[in-house]
Structure formats: C-alpha cells, structure tokens
Amino acid sequence: MAKKQFKTESKKLLDMMINSIYTNKEIFLREIISNASDAIDKIYFRSLTDTSIGLPRDKYEIRIAADKDARTLTISDNGCGMSAEDLEKNLGTIAKSGSFDFKSGLEEGKSADIDVIGQFGVGFYSSFMVADKITVISRTYDSADANQWVSEGADGYTISPCEKDAAGTTVILHIKADTEEESYSEYLEEYKLRGLIKKYSDFIRYPIIMNTSSEKLKDGTEDEYETVSSDETLNSITPIWKRSASEVEEETYNSFYKEKFFDYENPVKVVKQKAEGRVEYDALLFIPGRAPYNYYSKEYEKGLQLYSSGVMIMEKCADLLPDYFSFVKGVVDSPDLSLNISRELLQHDRQLKVIAKNIESKIKSSLIEMLNKDRENYEKFFKAFGAQIKFGLYQDFGMHKDVLQDLLMFESSSGKMVTLKEYTEGMRPDQKKIFYAPGVSAQQISTIPQVKAVKEKGFEILYFTEDIDEFAIQMLMTYNEKEFSNVCSENLDLSTEEEKEQIKKENASYADMLGFIKESIGGGISEVRFTNNLADYAACISTEGALSATMESTLSAMPGSDPSQFKARLVLDINASHPAAAKLKALYMEDKDKLKDYSKLMYENARLISGLAIEDPAEFSRLVSSLMV
Ligand code: ADP
C-alpha cells in the first residue's frame, strides 16, 4: 500500500512533535480526549433533530485502556467517526486554524515558540510526542465500512479498510520506549492516567471510563484481599460552569480557560454567575490579561460559547457581548434556550437579550471589583484592553458612559495610573477642571511647557498617550460634573487677577509687533500673544477650539481622510518674562528683517517642544545655521 505524505506544514509540526521540543508532553491525552468528546457532541447534536441516528445520551462514553505488555494506550469513543476521506482530510493536514503562519515560528534549526503553538491547539499530532506509531480505526454512524489510518511519524501514513463493530473512533498509541531523560512507560500506568484526566479532562461532559483494579476483601473472609477490576468513571462530568465556585479550585478554572480559549497565560479574573428566576443560566466568564494576537484587527470575532443544558449550540455568540467588552471569553449555559434555534432567530430571542444585559452588568461590576481589590491585575488588563474601552465610549457617542467611565485609567503627572474618580478626589479645592495633555509618551508630555507650568503650580495632569484618548474624553464631556481641559489649549485659567491684567496690558501695547510676528510666520498660526503661564520656556503652541493639534494629526492620518478638513487653530504663546521676549521687542525697533527670521525660529522651536513636527525643515535648518556664523 502506498504511503501518503503529510502536507508540508503538518510535516514540520510533526517533526517538532516527534523530536519533542514541547516539554509538556502529557497534554497529548487531553487533546485526544477532547477530540473524542467533540466527536460525541457532533453525533449527539445531530441525533436531536434526526432520531434515526445516535444513541441515548447516557450511552455515550470515552474509554481508555492501557496494555503494558503491548505498550499500547487505547482511547475509544462512540462519537461521529470518520470516513476514509475524513481521515485523509483531518489527519493528513494540520493547522486548519489557518491564520497561523508556521514558517515564522519554524525556521530551520530554531526551536519554535511553543507557546504560540499552544495557542492554536496542537491537537492530534501531539501524540507523536509519546508514541512512535499511531493507529486510528474509525467508522461513521451512517456506514458499515470502517477504515484505519496508520502512521509511524513524519514519513507519511496509510489508510486502508478494516473491521469495526460500531460507529466511533479508536485511537491506539504505541508508546515510545523509555529513554534516559524520559519515562514514557508512565503513560501506561493507571495512577498517571487517572491524574492526567483529573487535571486536564475533568469537565469533559461524557464519562471517561477505565477498567481499573483495586484491592477488595475477599467474600467470606476478614483479612484476605483480592484484586478486582471494574469500570470506573474517572472524570466528574458535570460541566465546570455548573459546579459551584466553592467546589472548584482556581487552577481548574485556569486550565479550563487556557485549553478552551487557546491562551497560554492565566486569565486575570474568573467571573461566575448563576441566575435563577426570570431567566435561568450559568455563566463562566474570563477576563484575559493579554490581548490575542489579532485582537485589534478585523479578524477577531467576539462572542461567548452558548450551551443549552450542557449541549453547545453556538461557538461564538456575538450578541451576548457588547463591543466594548469584546475581550471577555467564556461560556453561557441556559435551559431556556431552544436547542435547534437558528442564528437569525436567536438574535431576536428575548431571553438572550436579558442574559446579555445581565452579563454586561456582571462584567462591569467584576472589573470594578478587580480595580478596587486587585490593582496590579487591573492595570495589566487595562494595558491590554483599555483602548477597546475608550473606543467603546467614542463609538457609541458616549451612550454607554455610565458603564465605561469608571473603568478608564490614565497615566498622570503623579507617575502612576489613575482613574477619573481618583483624579477628581485628589483635585485641589480651587481646581475647577480636570487637566490633561496629549502627546506620544509620558516622557514627552512631561516636557511640554504648559504641562511643566501647570505641574509647578501643583496640579495633577492626565497624560493622554493614545490617539483615542482625546476623542473618548470629548464624548464624556464631563466627569463628576468637572469639565476636561487640555492644558495645551487656551482655556486654562490659572493666573491671578493681577497677572491677567498685566498680560492683557502687555498684549495691548505690543499688538503691532505681535501682528508683525504673526505675519512673518505665515499661514500656520492664527494668533501670537504674550503669556505668563510658561515656566522657563520661551514659547509654546496652544490650540483654540475643540480640535487639538494631536487630534488633527490623528484625523489627518486616517486612511482616505482629507487633511485640509481638520485644522486645529494654533496660537503661538510667548513667555512675557523670558529674555527672548525682550530680544523680540528690541529687534522690532532695530532690525525687522532679523525679527522676521527670529519669529520663524521661535515658531518652529515652539512646535517642537509642543510635540508637533517642524513645518518647514529646510527653512528651519537654514535659520539655525545662520545663528552659528
Ligand atoms: P482540532 O481538534 O484542533 O481540529 P486535531 O488535529 O486534534 O485538530 O484533529 C483534527 C480533526 O480530526 C478534528 O477536527 C476532527 O474533525 C477529526 N478528529 C480527531 N479525532 C477524532 C475523533 N475521535 N472522532 C472524530 N473525528 C476526530
């Protein structure tokens, strides 16, 4: 019989499995068992609408048997089974998950980032970590023909007809010989298999049965023991989400999460909800601590797994999660939902809407609880998903601000992350507004002249380092009745009456000169004025109106946008008490040509320090050079 070759990617992964780069070899059993459980799900689900197929629910099972002499571990199920074509398609190709580019991780001679592979579920092939030969015997429920697939590893596989009594699949692993580093024989030991099933497959919804032996008192004697064997169910079957939280160890939740949702890190929070009354459901939700690689792309699909009384009816039910909580993973199981409801109908299902509403508030309260009690994890969470929450605020025109505003966090001039609540509670009694400053990083923002000046006056400033920040805040408008104020825009009012009067006079008496400077700079600027709010800087740029300079650059950079539509009104603020101001005044009397050049220099210089790009680099360079000769 001709041997068939594995597809290239499969072969590479297979090579890796055989050479056991993955240290966590024991997961192979979990993978085989979960395939068996999926196969039973499939046939059980079909039998609900077609009573001519399948077995009664209590007849489904997964069996596991070890034969030490033959060195085989056999796992069988009475699930949907596979035809010859299925065997070819499913076991000849791997990584149908598609999006993962194996080449990137599997360059020659380089050990692959196994964590990444873990994310995609290595599945069936992981058995080659412990077996040097695998036989899969399978028969589908609708055919009397059975087939067997046999492979000894990377050089290919064969598929041939065979006999099998009933529908289902039997996987026979021929366990490798022990080596100095590794005792593969362990996987033939009852205690080991028992432990692995408890650890990884306890929540599988069908019984995992093994014929186990135990010592029993011999009938009719008082001290004679005999070894008896009997079928024993090794898993606890009840789905993990149906068990009360107090019975389940955290580690069990974590491994359930990691296996089911392909993460290699524990979630930062596990949320359990049991609802009784108008709607009945169990929800087990997880807040990940890390964004999946495709989270901020169109490819990412939000949704919770939906079950009806323990049977899965939808892999990703998007209607259960608002977009701003799209990062949440988990399972919802409700007896109120009909099993064979179509997706379209489900969208209009009233029960489902009620569940979604409850889940949304549960997620919110859980996040708030994490914020209050587990700050470190909350900050980790916010780093990964904060942008999504801000985006949610913006996207719905602030409609959900009550849900979202208390979840926001920003870095501030205090050097820490602060929430809006914390910020407003720490506000000085004379402070009317919430100060913020946009920029690319906390470091850059902290050097902006206005920021320095406001900080020196003793106020805290929120640092908006993400493009979305200002947009989100504009949707919010106020927090706790306090308005937000960009310290780089003109509406700052921190001066005393006396100072204000003074600067007003200064501006009035030098109106001509300021006009001349504005003229010299050209179109980029809408006003030039003196100010006394600049610490020790000579000048800086402020904006007037709703559109800030950073928002202008974000909007202009969006694909297909017309930059001329988004123009922030820029103002050049000159520090009235800086020696440079005196120089300008002197030049206005003595050398207008030079003043013209200095005006441009001062303007470009102010743009730089305010985090904006230089408008005319060639001219700027010429002017700076001319200073040096
Ligand atoms: P995954 O389970 O992640 O899809 P696997 O490599 O583990 O990847 O399995 C490939 C496919 O082989 C499965 O998707 C399934 O269609 C099929 N398969 C594996 N084991 C069984 C089984 N016991 N019964 C029926 N089909 C199976």
Side-chain angles (χ1 to χ4, degrees):
M1 192 183 346
K3 240 182 206 162
K4 299 190 181 190
Q5 295 302 307
F6 288 104
K7 303 266 171 354
T8 327
E9 296 82 4
S10 316
K11 197 161 183 301
K12 282 187 180 166
L13 187 59
L14 206 55
D15 273 337
M16 215 173 66
M17 286 302 165
I18 294 163
N19 298 318
S20 299
I21 298 168
Y22 201 5
T23 46
N24 199 15
K25 295 193 175 59
E26 62 186 31
I27 55 105
F28 81 92
L29 188 61
R30 170 192 84 186
E31 299 291 321
I32 296 284
I33 288 179
S34 94
N35 281 346
S37 158
D38 289 347
I40 298 176
D41 270 349
K42 278 181 202 155
I43 189 144
Y44 179 66
F45 190 51
R46 258 175 251 158
S47 74
L48 293 171
T49 45
D50 180 352
T51 45
S52 69
I53 56 170
L55 303 167
R57 185 167 168 103
D58 61 357
K59 292 281 182 283
Y60 286 107
E61 62 183 33
I62 298 165
R63 278 192 174 264
I64 168 163
D67 181 335
K68 284 186 191 165
D69 298 329
R71 282 190 83 75
T72 56
L73 179 63
T74 303
I75 300 106
S76 29
D77 64 68
N78 48 7
C80 63
M82 285 179 275
S83 64
E85 294 82 66
D86 294 336
L87 285 168
E88 167 84 45
K89 186 169 69 155
N90 297 332
L91 305 185
T93 328
I94 198 174
K96 280 176 267 103
S97 8
S99 44
F100 184 48
D101 182 2
F102 274 84
K103 280 172 230 100
S104 62
L106 296 175
E107 285 159 29
E108 285 314 312
K110 203 171 134 203
S111 90
D113 180 352
I114 203 73
D115 275 346
V116 173
I117 289 170
Q119 274 191 78
F120 291 89
V122 282
F124 176 77
Y125 289 77
S126 60
S127 292
F128 277 110
M129 293 190 293
V130 300
D132 45 24
K133 177 179 174 188
I134 302 180
T135 305
V136 180
I137 299 169
S138 199
R139 181 180 145 186
T140 57
Y141 66 92
D142 56 357
S143 165
D145 302 330
N147 290 283
Q148 73 174 345
W149 177 99
V150 183
S151 172
E152 291 182 21
D155 64 337
Y157 57 92
T158 57
I159 296 174
S160 55
C162 69
E163 297 291 314
K164 191 175 186 310
D165 288 347
T169 301
T170 298
V171 179
I172 305 166
L173 306 179
H174 190 267
I175 301 295
K176 289 182 185 176
D178 290 344
T179 63
E180 266 178 31
E181 299 94 56
E182 200 84 37
S183 158
Y184 294 102
S185 302
E186 266 198 320
Y187 300 120
L188 298 166
E189 296 291 346
E190 196 180 293
Y191 80 91
K192 181 70 181 178
L193 296 166
R194 195 189 278 279
L196 289 180
I197 287 165
K198 258 289 163 279
K199 181 167 173 191
Y200 293 113
S201 311
D202 198 37
F203 47 80
I204 292 287
R205 289 186 311 285
Y206 306 99
I208 303 170
I209 300 171
M210 184 159 64
N211 194 269
T212 58
S213 47
S214 54
E215 300 287 301
K216 289 241 167 72
L217 260 188
K218 218 170 171 171
D219 272 351
T221 68
E222 284 187 3
D223 53 0
E224 269 183 70
Y225 284 85
E226 63 178 351
T227 308
V228 291
S229 58
S230 60
D231 277 354
E232 187 187 346
T233 299
L234 302 180
N235 55 330
S236 31
I237 304 174
T238 320
I240 186 169
W241 57 87
K242 287 248 182 214
R243 278 187 260 158
S244 93
S246 57
E247 276 174 29
V248 184
E249 289 188 27
E250 193 182 327
E251 203 32 56
T252 313
Y253 280 135
N254 288 347
S255 50
F256 173 79
Y257 164 78
K258 286 190 279 195
E259 187 199 337
K260 196 146 187 128
F261 302 106
F262 307 124
D263 198 347
Y264 50 84
E265 261 182 40
N266 288 339
V268 286
K269 191 159 180 66
V270 179
V271 180
K272 177 95 179 62
Q273 189 181 31
K274 184 173 186 63
E276 275 158 342
R278 201 150 69 88
V279 282
E280 215 178 291
Y281 66 92
D282 288 281
L284 177 60
L285 311 174
F286 300 93
I287 316 281
R290 210 177 51 87
Y293 76 103
N294 64 353
Y295 185 66
Y296 289 103
S297 78
K298 279 209 184 77
E299 259 173 60
Y300 181 83
E301 276 179 70
K302 65 168 183 171
L304 298 175
Q305 273 197 351
L306 190 58
Y307 285 78
S308 172
S309 302
V311 178
M312 189 171 78
I313 52 177
M314 205 189 278
E315 179 70 34
K316 271 192 181 155
C317 181
D319 298 320
L320 282 172
L321 286 179
D323 280 346
Y324 45 84
F325 289 155
S326 62
F327 46 83
V328 176
K329 304 274 182 200
V331 173
V332 173
D333 190 347
S334 170
D336 299 338
L337 297 168
S338 155
L339 261 186
N340 23 23
I341 192 166
S342 73
R343 266 155 216 243
E344 295 72 49
L345 278 179
L346 202 56
Q347 271 181 4
H348 304 291
D349 192 278
R350 279 201 25 239
Q351 304 279 13
L352 196 76
K353 289 210 164 84
V354 178
I355 297 178
K357 199 83 214 119
N358 289 354
I359 283 183
E360 175 183 328
S361 33
K362 182 70 182 174
I363 296 171
K364 185 196 170 184
S365 61
S366 305
L367 289 172
I368 294 282
E369 185 190 88
M370 175 160 61
L371 172 65
N372 293 332
K373 295 193 185 144
D374 186 6
R375 182 74 172 209
E376 199 179 317
N377 269 330
Y378 188 83
E379 289 188 11
K380 181 172 179 196
F381 150 77
F382 198 79
K383 224 184 193 144
F385 300 108
Q388 184 65 20
I389 292 194
K390 294 171 194 166
F391 191 70
L393 256 177
Y394 176 67
Q395 198 180 29
D396 307 330
F397 301 103
M399 223 159 68
H400 297 103
K401 66 179 175 192
D402 291 343
V403 185
L404 301 177
Q405 60 185 359
D406 289 317
L407 299 173
L408 296 179
M409 261 191 158
F410 300 95
E411 219 173 322
S412 91
S413 51
S414 70
K416 290 192 283 239
M417 298 287 288
V418 292
T419 62
L420 295 176
K421 185 157 175 271
E422 287 159 354
Y423 182 95
T424 48
E425 281 169 2
M427 272 166 73
R428 291 182 6 182
D430 60 334
Q431 185 181 348
K432 294 187 190 68
K433 294 179 175 175
I434 300 173
F435 296 129
Y436 70 85
V440 292
S441 67
Q443 205 282 329
Q444 180 258 325
I445 297 173
S446 68
T447 62
I448 297 174
Q450 294 101 321
V451 171
K452 266 186 122 168
V454 175
K455 232 166 85 176
E456 270 167 27
K457 290 203 154 86
F459 297 104
E460 184 178 11
I461 302 158
L462 299 175
Y463 290 172
F464 284 5
T465 52
E466 288 187 292
D467 288 344
I468 186 74
D469 289 343
E470 268 182 286
F471 294 92
I473 285 304
Q474 290 214 340
M475 287 302 161
L476 215 52
M477 293 197 298
T478 60
Y479 178 83
N480 200 2
E481 292 168 14
K482 302 273 190 306
E483 279 175 39
F484 289 88
S485 170
N486 183 345
V487 300
C488 303
S489 71
E490 51 116 31
N491 56 5
L492 266 204
D493 191 10
L494 304 174
S495 314
T496 61
E497 285 308 312
E498 198 183 330
E499 285 169 331
K500 270 189 232 167
E501 201 46 47
Q502 201 185 348
I503 209 75
K504 212 165 138 191
K505 266 197 211 144
E506 184 89 356
N507 275 312
S509 36
Y510 289 95
D512 286 351
M513 182 193 81
L514 295 169
F516 180 86
I517 296 176
K518 174 170 184 270
E519 202 83 334
S520 310
I521 294 168
I525 206 92
S526 57
E527 195 186 337
V528 178
R529 68 186 171 204
F530 282 120
T531 176
N532 47 13
N533 274 330
L534 276 190
D536 51 359
Y537 291 93
C540 74
I541 301 287
S542 314
T543 48
E544 272 181 339
L547 196 64
S548 78
T550 35
M551 289 169 93
E552 171 190 317
S553 44
T554 306
L555 289 171
S556 308
M558 290 208 300
S561 81
D562 170 9
S564 66
Q565 273 191 309
F566 311 110
K567 280 285 164 231
R569 282 173 56 81
L570 302 187
V571 175
L572 177 64
D573 278 320
I574 301 172
N575 187 345
S577 50
H578 195 278
K583 180 78 182 177
L584 295 177
K585 289 175 192 166
L587 286 177
Y588 188 60
M589 312 303 294
E590 295 154 13
D591 187 346
K592 289 225 169 51
D593 280 342
K594 203 160 189 180
L595 177 60
K596 209 169 170 177
D597 283 352
Y598 276 29
S599 303
K600 287 183 206 158
L601 261 177
M602 186 166 239
Y603 168 61
E604 295 285 23
N605 199 20
R607 285 185 69 96
L608 267 183
I609 193 70
S610 301
L612 305 174
I614 290 181
E615 208 165 61
D616 186 348
E619 174 75 346
F620 181 65
S621 163
R622 186 187 68 76
L623 290 169
V624 172
S625 312
S626 72
L627 286 179
M628 299 163 95
V629 292

